[in-house]
Amino acid sequence: MKRMYTESHNKAGRILLIAIYNSANGGDICLADVGSQQRCKDDGAPYVGLNHVPANTLPPPAGQGTEEHARWLHTKRPDIMLCNMQGHSQADIERHEILSVELNLVTCHDTRPTDQMTAARQQHEELVERLVERG
């Protein structure tokens, strides 16, 4: 059941990713956690891994390879992130505009939608806090 939910979530994310990609903000996509490269290709969505995120932008600030870093990568990253750095150097982090897109699907099988929304809000707050720490 969890796999079906995850794939429904990722499919919705790929649909949204295609819409963003075809918009004026398409060039700002720097992260998309919406499924595998093959699934993106099958649906006509661009595949964007973590490679496109400026290293000094994405939390956590340190600890590559640590348990905290692995937890963040697995549970705390947004579904889609846009980083607008037009006209600014990568080092000029204070002028970067970062937009986070998080999908939360509620289905008829959900027994605790309030708990899920609380967890999503907490995830968002932690991401914002980490980004503010980064400058």
Side-chain angles (χ1 to χ4, degrees):
M1 184 73 153
K2 182 175 169 123
R3 271 193 161 171
M4 287 174 43
Y5 174 82
T6 300
E7 182 49 29
S8 295
H9 178 270
N10 287 344
K11 179 77 169 179
R14 290 190 293 273
I15 291 168
L16 184 56
L17 180 62
I18 291 168
I20 294 170
Y21 182 73
N22 290 320
S23 76
N25 295 321
D28 295 341
I29 298 169
C30 60
L31 178 150
D33 184 17
V34 295
S36 69
Q37 186 170 3
Q38 185 61 51
R39 297 227 185 211
C40 286
K41 181 180 176 183
D42 291 347
D43 287 343
Y47 177 74
V48 184
L50 292 173
N51 307 357
H52 297 83
V53 180
N56 60 347
T57 302
L58 190 63
Q64 288 276 36
T66 65
E67 188 176 312
E68 179 188 9
H69 186 256
R71 182 184 66 82
W72 189 86
L73 288 175
H74 184 70
T75 63
K76 299 298 180 184
R77 66 179 176 225
D79 294 316
I80 301 171
M81 183 181 277
L82 291 83
C83 303
N84 183 340
M85 299 178 290
Q86 289 183 336
H88 308 295
S89 71
Q90 190 160 324
D92 191 9
I93 193 168
E94 292 177 8
R95 305 192 94 186
H96 298 178
E97 180 181 33
I98 298 172
L99 302 172
S100 172
V101 178
E102 186 63 38
L103 297 170
N104 292 295
L105 301 180
V106 178
T107 69
C108 60
H109 299 291
D110 287 338
T111 57
R112 299 176 320 183
T114 303
D115 293 346
Q116 292 175 2
M117 287 304 296
T118 300
R121 284 188 186 100
Q122 183 177 4
Q123 174 186 355
H124 177 76
E125 288 171 9
E126 184 176 327
L127 176 63
V128 168
E129 182 179 306
R130 294 284 181 112
L131 291 170
V132 168
E133 284 174 7
R134 296 298 305 204

